[in-house]
Amino acid sequence: MSFGRLAALATVASAALVLTACTAPAPEPTATPTSTASVTLTDETRATLERLFDEGFAASGMPGAAAYVRIGDDEWTAVTGVSDLETQKPFEATDLVRIASNTKPFVATVVLQLIDEGKLTLDDVLESYVPGIPNGATITVRDLLQMSSGVWDLTSDEPLMAMWADDLMMPWSVEDSIELMRQNPSRFEPGSKVLYTDSNYILLGEIAEIVTGTPLHELVQTKILDPLGLDDTRFPAPDQPDVPEPAAQGYRPPGEQLGSLDELIPVGDINPEVAWGAGNMTSTLADLAIWGDALADGTLLSPELQSQRLDTREFDGQKIEFGYGLGIINIGDFLGHDGAIVGFSTAVFRLPADDATFVIVGNASSNFTTPTMDIFLSMVKELYPEQLRPIE
C-alpha cells in the first residue's frame, strides 16, 4: 500500500519515496562544484530531458507517463505510452491520476494555515485533540508535520495491509486507523529522529477537522484548491472512491516490483478513508505544476511560517542532503514531494533559485516502487548534480 512509503535513496537515479518506513543505502554524493550554473531550456536541454524521460520510462514498467518542466518562462512537456492497456488509449497530459503522498503537503498546508490564523500552534500536543495515542502528551503538531513523532504507523500492520491488498474498497474509517494507533506502542521518543510515517498525516487531518468542525476534504477545497484555481484536483469525500474522468487506468504488478506490462493488474476504486490525509488525492500534470510552485514558494502561508516549513531535518542514515520539513521534502535545494499508491506514481519538485519546476506522473506502481521519482532523480543528476550534496 503506497500512498507515500519511504524507501530512502538507493541509488542516485533510482530512489523511492513510497508508503511505509523502509530504508536502504543512500547514494554516493555527487562531487560538489564551487558554483552553480543556471540551467536554461535550450534545444540541448530539451533533448537531454527527452532522452532521460524516454530512458526512464522504458525502464519503469509503467504503461504511460507524462512529464512537465518549467524553467523561468520556458516550458517542456512530454507524454508517452498508454493510459489503458486494454483499449490502447494513449496517455494524455490531461489524464487524472492518484497523487498518493503528494497529498501530505496539501494537508500540512491546511494545518499551517490554521496556525497562521491562530487556531493552532506548532507546540500544541496531540493529546489535546486526539487522546489515547502513546506519548500523545509530548508529541507536538510540529513532530507530526516533520515525521518525528514516533507514533506507530498503520502501514506496518501486516494483517491490515494484506486485507487492503485483497480488497481496495474494504470497509474502513479514519477512526479505525486512529484506534490502531492507540493500541500500538510508540516507535521512538518524540523529536528524537525523523522516520517517514503515514499515521502522522491521518492524525493531522483529524486535528484539522476537530479545530474547525469542517471535513478535511472541504478544508482542502476552500483553503487551497479554490484559491489556486486547481479545478482538476480533488481531495475525495468518503463517498468518492474513483478517479474522476478523464482518468488514466492505474496498474499494479503481482509482486513488489514493476516488470512486464503483460503481468500488470488493473486497479479500480479505492476506499478514500484508508489513505485519507496521507495519500488519497487526485490531480493532473498541469495542476501539480501550479501546486509545486505554491508549495515551495509559500504562496498560501506567512513568510515566517514558510521559513519554518523549510527548516528540514535529514532522514537518518543519509549521505546527501535529503530531509523532511513541515510537510515537504528537500533534496539539496529542491523542494517538493513524491507519492506512490497502487496504480499510480507522482513526483513534484521545485528549485526556487533557478525558478525550475519538475512534475512527473505515471499510471503504475506497487508498494515498493516510485518510478516517477527515478525519472526525476535522473534529471537532477544530469542537470543539477550539485544538488546531490554530501552531508558535511
Side-chain angles (χ1 to χ4, degrees), residues 142 145-147 201 308-313 323-330:
R142 184 191 297 274
L145 287 164
Q146 198 162 45
M147 301 291 187
Y201 280 75
Q308 293 194 63
R309 158 170 254 173
L310 302 184
D311 185 13
T312 60
R313 292 177 58 186
Y324 212 83
L326 304 184
I328 198 166
I329 289 167
N330 82 287

Side-chain angles (χ1 to χ4, degrees), residues 358-376:
F358 290 69
V359 182
I360 306 168
V361 302
N363 64 335
S365 182
S366 75
N367 294 345
F368 298 90
T369 54
T370 312
T372 55
M373 190 66 169
D374 294 347
I375 296 171
F376 165 69

